[in-house]
């Protein structure tokens, strides 16, 4: 994605120069932020560019800044989400908070205090990435009306993901029993909007697509994103760590309120299952929890939900009469999202 | 400040409506953010409007959105700064993190875990306020070129305060001995730029002032802001809690690296003083630390610095040939900033 990379490279080059002029320690934070941004798969920029090109956008350079903005938004949300989840690793490697934690610990700061230093750096770095995303859209060369529409998309994405994040925190309060409906909504708000719906809508808007096309790719994106997140939840419980690179014990240990758990709460198996959540479960306990989630039907239910959202996405796409190339691309995206679970 | 208040009221009304449509728990976060924003003294919006009117801006309504943006920026930075400093109160009242901590504790979450919940809510709320500030400027009706200039001011403010915040964290690492120069720079970056320099420059830009006038109010603002922050440091060590509403033990207990401490480090008294920093000092230890800071000359040095920055501000203002009314206002601002220490 050379166009997006070059926007980001320019963005970081400028920032690094300014930071270095202030203090080398500040430049180090920017380097760490750049490294965090470069670790991603560029899923969101790819969606912006796909929708843009697929709906007749003539010059991808026109969409590059907005595409890059969604990558910075992703970096920011991941940084702050990791602070909230107290994660110091991502894909097995120390994240920014983890790197700053090690740095402080290496200088003799006690580990818990060092963790707080790491999280502090991640809060600050996330703020920089978040404002960077707005900056890229707000200062772009786009015509006024279009620029405002794109700011609204970015804003809707931030609004939704902050809401999803807050609900995620709320739902884990003792005594709080969110309904399946609520948990699905939380999951959609936290991830699907900013990762799928908003980038696709932004690409369509940039291409000057008709309103119904913008709606169609957005709605399809929301369904694909929801399916993607549900698959993520399944992998977080039943996945093969070797293949997914993601811990399949973390969700259990954190007592996270995923749709799997929300469903299991309604079943008689819940009494035993509840005792297995939180803390550091043994291998036998993990196996038992997985069996219970299968026996009570939670796994099957969520797998059905994945198919259901995939079908809804296909229906929206089929009805929208989108250009064939874009359809094929979104179909491929959907299949990749869903197949991870099989 | 009815114009700014009405921009903020509209902003929160819209957000509350949208949040409430998603989930009542999310609306509660927005209400808490609104309460956090309404607690302030509106210093930064006042500076935007003063510079605007003082440099011939004809219609304050033109400056209201940018002025409100600086208030939201302040709210965001305070929320995240309190997370980094692990403060759960501000001016003796629970801040947003403190309120959410109590809420979680009230539902049976253990206190330390409840504190993390509170901080998580504050991270999310700060993100919303931060993007709200960009939104207000980026979506304002200002002409394109001016809008870009103002975005740059906002950006410079965020860039500086994030840098100052990060340096503040770095400087408290064991073995790190920042120079007086470095500590002064940190303090300027963290507060003076976003609280004084940028709002004044923004107001001048909005009024269509000449480049040298923009520079003059900005530079004066930087000096006034530095003096203000130095006075704050003095009050944090020697102030009367009854009068300032600010703990005069907090800085000592946290082992904060203020210019007072940076100076004292160079003195023979440091050996005894170092033992009194951090932890929870007794009343006798606090008195002793204050005496040592006076004996070694740190207090006098910082008081002189305040006068020095005040003089520099006055010199810039005198040289700039600004309109008399604006000069009087900035002089008043400077006097109020400095007199707090007397």
């Amino acid at each position: 994605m050379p166009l997006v990379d070059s926007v980001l490279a320019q963005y970081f080059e400028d920032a690094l120069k300014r930071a270095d002029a202030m203090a080398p320690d500040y430049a180090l934070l920017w380097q760490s932020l750049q490294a965090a941004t470069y670790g991603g798969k560029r899923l969101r920029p790819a969606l912006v560019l796909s929708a843009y090109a697929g709906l007749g956008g003539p010059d991808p350079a026109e969409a590059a800044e907005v595409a890059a903005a969604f990558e910075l938004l992703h970096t920011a949300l991941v940084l702050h989400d990791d602070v909230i989840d107290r994660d110091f690793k991502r894909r097995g490697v120390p994240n920014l908070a983890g790197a700053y934690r090690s740095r402080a610990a290496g200088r003799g700061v006690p580990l818990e205090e060092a963790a707080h230093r790491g999280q502090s750096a991640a809060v600050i770095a996330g703020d920089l990435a978040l404002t960077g995303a707005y900056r890229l859209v707000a200062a772009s060369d786009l015509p006024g009306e279009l620029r405002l529409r794109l700011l609204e998309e970015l804003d809707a994405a931030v609004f939704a993901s902050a809401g999803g994040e807050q609900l995620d925190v709320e739902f884990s309060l003792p005594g709080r029993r969110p309904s399946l409906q609520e948990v699905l909504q939380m999951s959609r708000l936290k991830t699907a909007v900013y990762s799928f719906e908003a980038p696709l809508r932004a690409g369509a808007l940039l291409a000057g697509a008709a309103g119904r096309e913008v709606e169609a790719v957005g709605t399809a994106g929301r369904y694909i994103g929801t399916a993607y997140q549900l698959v993520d939840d399944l992998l977080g419980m039943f996945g093969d760590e070797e293949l997914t690179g993601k811990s399949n014990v973390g969700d259990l240990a954190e007592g996270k309120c995923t749709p799997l758990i929300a469903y299991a709460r309604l079943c008689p198996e819940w009494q035993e299952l509840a005792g297995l959540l939180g803390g550091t479960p043994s291998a036998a306990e993990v196996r038992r929890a997985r069996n219970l989630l299968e026996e009570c039907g939670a796994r099957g239910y969520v797998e059905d939900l994945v198919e259901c959202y995939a079908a809804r996405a296909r229906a929206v796409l089929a009805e929208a009469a989108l250009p064939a190339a874009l359809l094929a691309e979104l179909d491929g995206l959907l299949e990749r999202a869903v197949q991870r679970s099989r």
Side-chain angles (χ1 to χ4, degrees), chain A:
Chain A
M1 219 165 297
L3 281 167
V4 173
D5 288 342
S6 101
V7 171
L8 290 172
Q10 187 63 54
Y11 171 75
F12 281 110
E13 192 185 317
D14 291 349
L16 272 164
K17 215 176 289 169
R18 284 162 72 193
D20 205 43
M22 286 182 183
D25 282 324
Y26 192 31
L28 179 66
L29 185 72
W30 273 99
Q31 280 161 9
S32 309
L33 178 58
Q34 185 170 26
T37 305
Y38 280 30
K41 289 172 293 182
R42 300 264 191 280
L43 167 66
R44 293 146 197 89
L47 292 181
V48 174
L49 296 178
S50 289
Y52 175 80
L55 288 165
D59 175 10
E62 282 186 349
E65 281 175 325
V66 173
F70 275 98
E71 192 66 19
L72 281 180
L73 174 63
H74 174 56
T75 305
L77 294 175
V78 165
L79 282 166
H80 285 183
D81 184 55
D82 281 353
V83 168
I84 290 168
D85 288 347
R86 279 169 286 199
D87 284 333
F88 292 90
K89 284 188 175 183
R90 191 152 276 259
R91 301 184 186 287
V93 190
N95 58 14
L96 190 141
Y100 269 87
R101 178 177 69 170
S102 300
R103 190 159 164 273
R107 299 192 183 189
V109 178
L111 196 64
E112 203 172 324
E113 173 64 28
H116 182 72
R117 306 288 178 108
Q119 292 179 319
S120 298
V123 168
I124 299 167
D127 287 351
L128 292 170
L130 192 57
T131 56
Y134 273 75
R135 189 65 215 276
L136 280 181
V137 176
S140 67
D141 277 339
L142 300 167
E145 182 64 26
L146 179 58
R147 193 178 33 75
L148 280 181
R149 291 289 301 274
L150 288 160
L151 275 170
E152 278 167 25
E153 290 301 323
L154 190 61
D155 210 45
V158 170
F159 196 90
S161 59
E165 190 78 64
Q166 177 63 15
L167 292 178
D168 202 6
V169 175
E170 290 286 332
F171 289 171
S172 63
L173 281 176
R176 186 80 159 83
R177 294 282 170 269
S179 67
L180 250 166
Q181 216 56 24
E182 286 181 301
V183 174
L184 280 171
Q185 190 211 18
M186 175 272 283
S187 167
R188 175 177 84 75
L189 290 175
K190 192 171 161 183
T191 309
V193 177
Y194 98 83
S195 295
F196 293 87
E197 185 174 349
L200 286 169
R201 285 178 60 93
L205 287 167
L206 282 161
R212 59 180 172 69
E213 293 171 322
V214 177
E215 290 304 318
V217 295
T219 308
R222 190 191 319 155
Y223 293 146
I224 297 172
T226 306
Y228 181 94
Q229 186 57 44
L230 289 167
V231 169
D232 222 54
D233 293 334
L234 286 167
L235 293 173
M237 195 63 81
F238 302 104
D240 180 341
E241 290 192 10
E242 296 282 315
L243 292 178
T244 64
K246 183 187 154 141
S247 158
N248 57 17
V249 183
D251 282 4
L252 200 61
E254 283 170 39
K256 261 201 174 180
C257 192
T258 67
L260 279 170
I261 298 299
Y263 182 95
R265 272 218 185 98
L266 308 171
C267 309
E269 286 83 353
W270 177 248
Q271 239 181 328
E272 183 182 350
L273 195 56
L276 301 168
L277 302 178
T280 35
S282 69
E285 285 173 326
V286 169
R287 270 197 307 278
R288 181 67 190 144
R290 283 193 194 128
N291 283 340
L292 285 169
L293 285 169
E294 285 183 2
E295 281 167 26
C296 74
R299 180 178 188 167
Y301 170 78
V302 174
E303 286 173 349
D304 283 353
L305 264 185
V306 171
E307 292 304 330
C308 159
Y309 277 101
R312 290 168 89 171
R314 281 188 208 100
V316 169
L317 290 173
E319 210 178 297
L322 296 173
L326 179 58
L327 261 184
E329 203 152 344
L330 292 175
D331 259 337
L333 177 72
L334 174 58
E335 293 314 318
R336 283 194 303 282
V338 171
Q339 264 167 5
R340 298 188 307 152
S341 73
R342 285 173 189 152

